[in-house]
Amino acid sequence: LGSMFTDDDGFFATAPVGHYPAGASAPGVLDLAGNVWEWTNDYYGPYAADDQVDTKGPASGEERVIRGGAFNGASPDWAKPSYRYHSKPDSYNHAIGFRCAATPAK
């Protein structure tokens, strides 16, 4: 597989947080896809065949779900927040990270 994009964003690997404000989600969340794969709390397993809403993984398993693709991805589908991949929880590399989140102050 080759590179997902041929353009150069000027960064050797990951881009600084918040560097692409035009890519914010409707509620204004930045950086949902494409910098690094992000760990989730779900164990990896197949989804049921029927429509799913707020899916949860199995109660246990060998691998956890990662989402969001990474800067070195080769397929545009990988960058969709709905795309799931999996990895053993004790694995690590430069293309897997995590998201810090908090309820906004009012």
Side-chain angles (χ1 to χ4, degrees), residues 1-100:
L1 292 174
S3 177
M4 186 181 343
F5 298 106
T6 57
D7 294 341
D8 183 354
D9 67 359
F11 302 104
F12 177 70
T14 58
V17 172
H19 190 75
Y20 299 102
S25 68
V29 179
L30 295 170
D31 307 324
L32 285 177
N35 226 5
V36 295
W37 289 98
E38 296 177 0
W39 288 110
T40 71
N41 194 45
D42 290 344
Y43 285 103
Y44 184 77
Y47 282 154
D50 54 337
D51 288 344
Q52 303 291 302
V53 176
D54 193 22
T55 57
K56 302 291 183 222
S60 63
E62 297 283 320
E63 297 181 309
R64 296 264 186 186
V65 172
I66 54 177
R67 292 187 183 266
F71 68 93
N72 60 349
S75 172
D77 284 345
W78 296 352
K80 294 177 182 177
S82 61
Y83 186 84
R84 299 181 320 144
Y85 197 65
H86 50 93
S87 191
K88 292 194 179 283
D90 61 353
S91 66
Y92 61 92
N93 69 50
H94 62 284
I96 300 176
F98 60 92
R99 173 174 296 273
C100 296

